[in-house]
Amino acid sequence: MATRIACTFAALASLAAVAAAGPALAADKIAYPVTTGTMIMQSSPGSGGDLFLRAVADAANRQIGANFAVENVTGGSGAKAMALLGKSPGDGSMLMGVSPTYVNTSLLSKPPVSYTDLQPIVRLFLDSVIVVVREDSPYKTLKDVIEAAKKAPHSVKVAVGEPGGLETQTMIELMQKTGTQLTVISHDGGGDALLSVLNGTGDMAIGEAAELKSQLDAKQIRPIAAYTEARIATFPDLPTAREQGIDMVVQKFRGIIGPKNVSPEVIKAWEAAVPKMLNDPAFKKWYEEGALIPAFQPHDQFEAFIDNFGAKQKQFFLDNNMIKG
């Protein structure tokens, strides 16, 4: 009997210890206004943006006292997702993962909800952009592509993501700098653009290492250039565009935004969480393998960055007669 009572007291003590540990573990996480949140992505599943946001949500769930899930809201090159975010409350229950596309879409198509109607929260990364072809492609370098395009204008077909994406702008700049004419095929996201190359519809695509990793590892596609300042550590044998005589560097930012009225508590939580996320071993392994460059900016800096980026993009589109002044 004494043994049974002792065991009972031991079990109760163990349960009490677990119960006491629960709040302590929860207290280690950063306070957040809501317990669940949706992070929307304007591109399709499998795209670089989609992979980025899912990794961010997973890392954020380990640092912030809320559970985040990702939802893909495609359509209008991000216009549909921006409209949904613009109507959401400012309590952090809905946020959006962004790249330059959301600024470009705002300038090119003037959707009901523009990038200026939304609030930058934090920037996490700059993205290394690479050019890939199918493994059996005759093109070995970016110079080969340019030479083929000069011999037969529009013969080279380039698969890109959303029409308002940085990939499309990159192709416009490439054609301007090289005096070539390429055929640009737009898709709902980088994942769809990659499928276009794999099935032979497109001759090459532009994307990020993270979204292309599995196909690169399987040797279904082959990189031929990097639009980076220097060679990428994970692709030491891949020459940059500059090394191939094309003076171009492209860096895609990755960040989190909210509705215009997003609360200071939400901003504060993400500003505190991102540095911890960037040091999270699992998250760090993922972004290093994907050649993402940590480039954290808190709210005020990210907001200024977006304002400056938007002004530069607008001037580019005006100079190329893509929008009217």
Side-chain angles (χ1 to χ4, degrees):
M1 183 69 174
T3 301
R4 185 180 302 171
I5 292 172
C7 290
T8 301
F9 276 120
L12 290 173
S14 178
L15 288 172
V18 171
L25 289 173
D28 290 339
K29 291 192 174 184
I30 296 164
Y32 202 70
V34 294
T35 56
T36 59
T38 299
M39 305 187 77
I40 57 176
M41 171 48 57
Q42 78 274 11
S43 58
S44 56
S47 66
D50 176 70
L51 295 173
F52 152 75
L53 198 58
R54 291 183 188 280
V56 167
D58 184 53
N61 287 342
R62 293 192 289 273
Q63 302 295 338
I64 297 175
N67 184 56
F68 296 97
V70 175
E71 180 181 345
N72 298 88
V73 181
T74 60
S77 297
K80 186 175 179 180
M82 287 191 287
L84 181 63
L85 182 66
K87 295 185 293 185
S88 67
D91 59 2
S93 58
M94 181 170 286
L95 303 173
M96 181 174 171
V98 292
S99 67
T101 298
Y102 95 110
V103 176
N104 292 351
T105 294
S106 300
L107 295 169
L108 291 169
S109 59
K110 298 182 179 179
V113 175
S114 169
Y115 80 96
T116 57
D117 300 317
L118 302 170
Q119 186 65 259
I121 297 177
V122 286
R123 188 181 77 178
L124 286 87
F125 299 110
L126 293 176
D127 218 334
S128 300
V129 178
I130 62 176
V131 183
V132 298
V133 296
R134 205 162 68 172
E135 179 61 31
D136 59 359
S137 170
Y139 305 124
K140 305 300 181 185
T141 67
L142 190 56
K143 287 179 67 176
D144 290 344
V145 172
I146 299 307
E147 289 173 6
K150 286 183 176 179
K151 289 179 182 177
H154 297 295
S155 62
V156 179
K157 300 179 291 296
V158 185
V160 300
E162 302 92 340
L166 191 64
E167 294 89 350
T168 301
Q169 182 180 341
T170 300
M171 296 318 304
I172 292 170
E173 186 177 352
L174 179 65
M175 288 188 278
Q176 289 176 342
K177 286 183 177 291
T178 60
T180 55
Q181 292 179 314
L182 306 168
T183 298
V184 179
I185 308 171
S186 299
H187 299 77
D188 282 337
D192 293 332
L194 177 59
L195 287 175
S196 184
V197 171
L198 291 173
N199 67 27
T201 302
D203 296 306
M204 74 175 193
I206 308 166
E208 304 82 47
E211 71 175 328
L212 302 172
K213 186 178 185 304
S214 60
Q215 287 79 17
L216 287 166
D217 290 346
K219 299 196 180 302
Q220 294 177 308
I221 56 175
R222 174 166 41 83
I224 60 173
Y227 283 119
T228 50
E229 291 278 1
R231 293 197 180 194
I232 304 169
T234 48
F235 297 91
D237 298 325
L238 180 63
T240 66
R242 280 181 171 171
E243 288 180 286
Q244 299 184 52
I246 302 165
D247 188 16
M248 285 182 62
V249 173
V250 179
Q251 286 189 314
K252 175 184 281 189
F253 67 84
R254 298 284 185 189
I256 304 296
I257 66 169
K260 197 69 172 180
N261 64 338
V262 68
S263 73
E265 290 78 16
V266 172
I267 294 173
K268 182 180 178 181
W270 279 94
E271 287 181 330
V274 170
K276 293 184 177 182
M277 291 163 57
L278 293 174
N279 286 320
D280 179 302
F283 191 51
K284 188 173 184 179
K285 182 177 184 294
W286 174 81
Y287 71 71
E288 285 182 344
E289 287 180 349
L292 286 162
I293 303 166
F296 169 60
Q297 283 186 330
H299 165 65
D300 289 346
Q301 291 178 24
F302 189 33
E303 186 175 43
F305 171 86
I306 291 296
D307 288 343
N308 183 57
F309 179 80
K312 287 183 176 179
Q313 292 300 92
K314 182 177 181 179
Q315 191 60 53
F316 176 88
F317 295 142
L318 285 170
D319 291 345
N320 287 278
N321 299 314
M322 297 173 71
I323 60 174
K324 295 180 179 180

